[in-house]
């Protein structure tokens, strides 16, 4: 599995702690240093079953500067949102874990992290 993190984020550090405690095999992607492109964002959204506005950190200063609060949340505006996430990766909710077998979660809780781990 792969986990997209910001090392300064407490939720990311918590998710890593759960993965380590469970001896899970994973790859860390510091998505601010190695940002996903539009194709990768689309793929993750499909795996999450979410829309781009669902994983957007609207409280970030970049979101305010872009005026995201006023952007429509419609199928027609989807590409615009994805372009914004690719151009400003700080706007992507974190951490996101993608499992090798397909599923993905926004892993902000221990339960979400554990949902991708094999049962004990």
């Amino acid at each position: 599995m792969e986990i997209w993190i910001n090392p300064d984020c407490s939720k990311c550090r918590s998710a890593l702690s759960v993965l380590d405690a469970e001896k899970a095999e994973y790859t860390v992607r510091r998505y601010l240093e190695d940002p996903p492109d539009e194709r990768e964002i689309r793929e993750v959204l499909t795996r999450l079953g979410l829309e781009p506005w669902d994983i957007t950190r609207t409280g970030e200063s970049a979101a305010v500067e872009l005026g995201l609060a006023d952007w429509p949340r419609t199928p027609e505006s989807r590409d615009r949102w994805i372009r914004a996430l690719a151009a400003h990766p700080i706007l992507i909710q974190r951490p996101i874990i993608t499992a090798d077998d397909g599923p993905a979660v926004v892993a902000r809780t221990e339960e979400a992290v554990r949902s991708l781990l094999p049962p004990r």
Side-chain angles (χ1 to χ4, degrees), residues 4-22:
W4 294 3
I5 68 157
N6 173 348
D8 295 332
C9 167
S10 63
K11 300 278 187 194
C12 294
R13 291 191 304 272
S14 294
L16 291 171
S17 293
V18 172
L19 293 174
D20 288 342
E22 296 297 326

Side-chain angles (χ1 to χ4, degrees), residues 25-100:
E25 292 184 26
Y26 62 91
T27 302
V28 170
R29 180 170 184 175
R30 293 180 178 213
Y31 73 97
L32 298 179
E33 298 166 17
D34 179 17
D37 60 25
E38 290 180 32
R39 180 194 55 78
E40 290 173 298
I41 293 169
R42 289 177 197 287
E43 180 182 307
V44 163
L45 287 168
T46 297
R47 293 170 78 178
L48 288 168
L50 297 173
E51 293 297 336
W53 45 85
D54 296 327
I55 65 162
T56 300
R57 298 174 55 83
T58 56
E60 292 287 339
S61 59
V64 174
E65 290 170 20
L66 291 169
L68 290 181
D70 297 326
W71 287 19
R73 297 176 179 207
T74 62
E76 297 78 25
S77 64
R78 190 173 199 268
D79 288 342
R80 182 181 183 196
W81 283 85
I82 291 170
R83 283 192 302 273
L85 292 173
H88 307 277
I90 191 71
L91 297 176
I92 299 172
Q93 190 60 261
R94 62 197 181 238
I96 293 177
I97 302 175
T98 55
D100 293 336

